[in-house]
Amino acid sequence: MGSPPPKLNVLELFCGIGGMHWALTESGVEFEVKAAVDINTVTNSIYRTNFPKLNLLQREIKSLTTEEFVKLQADVILMSPPCQPFTRVGLKKDIEDDRTNAFIATLRLIETCHRQAHVISYILVENVKGFEESSTRDVLIETLNKCDYVYQEFLLTPLQFSIPNSRLRYYCIAKHKSEGNNFIFAHQPEVMLGIPSAAQPTLLSKHSYIDIENLTSNLTGQEMTAALDSDERIAPLAQYLLPNSTDYILSSEAMEYYQGLDIRKPSSRNSCCFTKRYGRFHVGSGSCLSTGSHLEDGREEVRFFTPDEISNLMCFPQLKFPENISRRQRYSALGNSLNVYVVANLIRLMVSK
């Protein structure tokens, strides 16, 4: 990994169910989360179940003051702000969407700390594909430049790490110039579509890194699906599935959408991105799985992936849900989260010297 940093004090914003915290754990970097902040009561209850002793603040992120910020003595800010202003199924109001306010307020806070000589050494931002073309992204980059950071933007999918899920996401890693004027690879002004070869030795070995051509193509297209299913470098879905999931079989009413469903088999080596709408909207919210049986009309019997299976595909090592969290809430919380393994590798890449 190169030379690891000393123990890092981390502030986790828009913490959701704790994807960034799990990624820190998986990264092998020594850290302490000084505080995690989110306003969502459901995801906070999931976070608290998994990290009961952590300083979890249920409050508006934009209410954080400079004094509070400095008192936490954070070296690292990890954040996954709301994606709805940029998602393809949303209104794409971008910076005009009120849900960007907390993120913009955080950037202003970083700028204030910079003026007061309180240095945040590292910043990592995750969001949906499309963020890289937004005005909100422009404010992020303007802030990083103004506050003396070097940074690199990426579009990455778990498929590149041999994980059979096409959750293509935007990432930006930033390092203050007091920590060095570059990463362990040469900075590129454009968004990178892969991990540069010079940085690949830093990657974790649990999953092999692979190059995938036409990464940003329509991953649900038949040609791309066939190409991915024939790529034996990607693990089959069977490795992520659990037994006894008969209560997740689609109802006869749901099967009316059969022609529009993205149906995979345990041998498949890809699945569509699971969104917070999964389990309620049958088309465009994530893949379904063939049970291997057929209905009387000859169609395949299909079921939803369970929340635990989606958790496996997102590389949560042992995510626990409170018993009072419904199936719908579990799907929604996972749909708003991130792939732990991808972020763990970006954390390693960000802090390596």
Side-chain angles (χ1 to χ4, degrees):
M1 178 179 167
S3 175
K7 185 176 182 179
L8 296 171
N9 292 328
V10 179
L11 177 59
E12 193 181 349
L13 301 179
F14 312 96
C15 63
I17 60 177
M20 292 288 188
H21 194 138
W22 286 112
L24 281 163
T25 303
E26 292 290 292
S27 74
V29 172
E30 189 177 0
F31 73 95
E32 178 183 354
V33 174
K34 306 299 287 186
V37 191
D38 206 303
I39 193 63
N40 189 293
T41 55
V42 172
T43 57
N44 279 350
S45 69
I46 299 171
Y47 193 114
R48 192 173 288 111
T49 296
N50 289 273
F51 306 106
K53 297 181 180 180
L54 194 117
N55 182 24
L56 175 62
L57 307 177
Q58 183 162 315
R59 57 185 287 189
E60 289 278 3
I61 289 172
K62 61 185 178 183
S63 71
L64 285 172
T65 66
T66 304
E67 291 73 22
E68 290 174 301
F69 206 77
V70 172
K71 186 177 180 180
L72 290 169
Q73 292 295 301
D75 308 304
V76 183
I77 297 178
L78 306 177
M79 47 185 163
S80 182
C83 64
Q84 292 86 350
F86 320 104
T87 183
R88 62 182 176 82
V89 296
L91 298 176
K92 293 188 176 182
K93 293 176 67 176
D94 194 356
I95 205 166
E96 301 300 322
D97 193 312
D98 288 344
R99 286 169 290 192
T100 64
N101 291 348
F103 181 59
I104 298 298
T106 302
L107 297 178
R108 298 292 177 249
L109 204 56
I110 291 170
E111 190 174 336
T112 300
C113 287
H114 172 72
R115 289 198 301 267
Q116 296 182 4
H118 175 72
V119 173
I120 306 298
S121 298
Y122 303 100
I123 298 171
L124 189 152
V125 178
E126 182 265 0
N127 215 285
V128 292
K129 182 185 183 305
F131 180 87
E132 75 280 5
E133 299 173 344
S134 70
S135 297
T136 306
R137 174 264 179 192
D138 293 342
V139 178
L140 167 64
I141 299 304
E142 177 186 342
T143 302
L144 295 177
N145 284 324
K146 189 181 297 184
C147 297
D148 296 329
Y149 287 89
V150 292
Y151 63 88
Q152 182 62 58
E153 298 172 284
F154 295 90
L155 281 173
L156 300 172
T157 169
L159 290 166
Q160 293 166 286
F161 297 85
S162 71
I163 301 162
N165 184 242
S166 59
R167 196 177 186 83
L168 185 64
R169 286 293 182 268
Y170 167 91
Y171 302 94
C172 179
I173 59 173
K175 175 172 67 172
H176 195 267
K177 290 181 179 178
S178 61
E179 298 291 336
N181 288 325
N182 214 331
F183 297 107
I184 59 172
F185 62 92
H187 169 264
Q188 299 295 323
E190 68 272 7
V191 178
M192 285 188 171
L193 301 182
I195 302 297
S197 57
Q200 291 179 19
T202 70
L203 300 180
L204 294 160
S205 59
K206 187 175 181 179
H207 301 281
S208 57
Y209 178 77
I210 58 179
D211 290 317
I212 297 177
E213 295 182 359
N214 302 317
L215 174 63
T216 58
S217 297
N218 180 8
L219 294 177
T220 60
Q222 292 184 352
E223 292 183 357
M224 180 59 74
T225 297
L228 292 169
D229 281 345
S230 64
D231 193 333
E232 295 185 355
R233 299 174 299 174
I234 304 171
L237 286 170
Q239 293 185 15
Y240 297 82
L241 303 179
L242 301 173
N244 303 322
S245 302
T246 55
D247 58 338
Y248 286 83
I249 293 174
L250 269 68
S251 66
S252 56
E253 291 80 8
M255 286 296 287
E256 295 178 4
Y257 298 93
Y258 182 84
Q259 296 299 327
L261 297 175
D262 182 76
I263 302 173
R264 305 295 170 132
K265 294 179 170 59
S267 59
S268 299
R269 299 179 186 274
N270 183 25
S271 56
C272 290
C273 179
F274 297 97
T275 75
K276 69 175 186 177
R277 296 150 46 99
Y278 192 68
R280 294 182 294 128
F281 294 84
H282 306 100
V283 178
S285 62
S287 300
C288 295
L289 189 73
S290 171
T291 67
S293 300
H294 287 80
L295 305 175
E296 291 182 0
D297 59 10
R299 293 181 299 175
E300 295 173 275
E301 181 184 66
V302 283
R303 69 168 177 85
F304 289 116
F305 284 76
T306 72
D308 287 338
E309 289 169 336
I310 296 173
S311 172
N312 289 344
L313 283 165
M314 296 174 75
C315 299
F316 284 87
Q318 48 187 353
L319 183 65
K320 295 179 290 187
F321 292 99
E323 291 186 3
N324 65 332
I325 299 298
S326 69
R327 180 186 298 186
R328 175 174 173 173
Q329 289 172 321
R330 296 180 192 207
Y331 282 139
S332 180
L334 286 164
N336 279 328
S337 192
L338 48 81
N339 187 283
V340 168
Y341 188 77
V342 176
V343 176
N345 281 290
L346 287 172
I347 290 172
R348 290 169 66 88
L349 184 55
M350 179 174 65
V351 303
S352 292
K353 296 183 179 179

